[in-house]
Amino acid sequence: FGRHERMVKLTGEAMFEVEHDEDHPFIVRTFASDVEVLGTRFNVVADEKSRRFSTILLNGSLRLTERTTGAVLNSGDEAHWLNGRFSVSKVRDFDAVCWTEGLISVRGQSFEELMRKFETAYNVRIEIARQTMPVIGFASGKIRISDGIDHALRVLQHTSDFTFTHDPKKNVVTIH
């Protein structure tokens, strides 16, 4: 860290728990925004490739700043960056941060979004070799990461119409 501030650059997703230090602010720099910690616990998703940015504030307060707009979040708020602006609302689903407990939530996820999460959580490449995306039949639920990718996909197969093959040597899962 520098002398006057504590700064990290983030691409991906991370959970932070930071002590407030007025003389040395903690800043998370992402492609969309700088997130300045005002003493707090929060989650940040910064996926520049898909232009997706969001943060969920669990405790404390945050200041978001980017070139033209900014926002201050209080406990229980979440912010999404859409079309160059922040949208701030009350957290609708705290399951978005259950990854910190070794779980992946299927609530509100499309099959494609869930496969991106699986790629990150299980460190595999997932190829979808079909014309249409399967529909997830679960309204909610959580999958334990430690049970592995094959188990996670078998759980989804209970309510979704797809098959898969897993080549552990190439570290590739193919969805059929």
Side-chain angles (χ1 to χ4, degrees):
F1 295 127
R3 295 169 117 184
H4 304 290
E5 64 187 12
R6 300 170 291 167
M7 181 180 294
V8 296
K9 292 183 180 180
L10 175 67
T11 299
E13 183 170 9
M15 173 71 75
F16 297 92
E17 193 162 343
V18 179
E19 292 275 332
H20 179 67
D21 180 347
E22 197 168 317
D23 296 329
H24 304 95
F26 187 89
I27 300 168
V28 179
R29 179 152 286 163
T30 73
F31 77 96
S33 172
D34 285 352
V35 181
E36 183 180 348
V37 176
L38 306 173
T40 192
R41 182 168 184 239
F42 63 104
N43 190 74
V44 177
V45 176
D47 185 351
E48 187 170 6
K49 185 177 178 183
S50 67
R51 306 300 295 165
R52 188 172 145 236
F53 171 88
S54 65
T55 185
I56 293 177
L57 178 60
L58 301 171
N59 302 56
S61 59
L62 293 175
R63 179 180 299 119
L64 303 176
T65 56
E66 58 94 24
R67 291 173 234 24
T68 59
T69 64
V72 174
L73 277 67
N74 296 305
S75 292
D77 286 348
E78 68 181 323
H80 296 271
W81 191 64
L82 302 167
N83 303 320
R85 296 207 170 277
F86 290 112
S87 169
V88 177
S89 61
K90 288 295 177 195
V91 175
R92 294 179 296 268
D93 182 11
F94 282 102
D95 284 349
V97 296
C98 71
W99 67 270
T100 63
E101 300 166 6
L103 301 168
I104 297 174
S105 173
V106 300
R107 181 191 315 250
Q109 303 290 312
S110 70
F111 190 84
E112 189 174 25
E113 290 169 329
L114 199 50
M115 292 305 103
R116 283 198 306 265
K117 283 188 175 189
F118 282 4
E119 283 183 320
T120 300
Y122 298 111
N123 193 29
V124 298
R125 191 173 84 231
I126 298 178
E127 297 177 349
I128 300 178
R130 50 182 289 154
Q131 296 297 324
T132 60
M133 286 291 165
V135 175
I136 298 173
F138 295 114
S140 67
K142 296 175 185 158
I143 297 172
R144 191 177 8 263
I145 295 170
S146 64
D147 288 341
I149 183 70
D150 293 335
H151 173 77
L153 291 169
R154 283 193 298 271
V155 167
L156 289 181
Q157 282 181 315
H158 288 290
T159 63
S160 303
D161 183 25
F162 71 94
T163 60
F164 71 93
T165 55
H166 182 188
D167 182 345
K169 289 182 183 177
K170 292 183 180 177
N171 203 27
V172 175
V173 172
T174 304
I175 305 295
H176 307 281

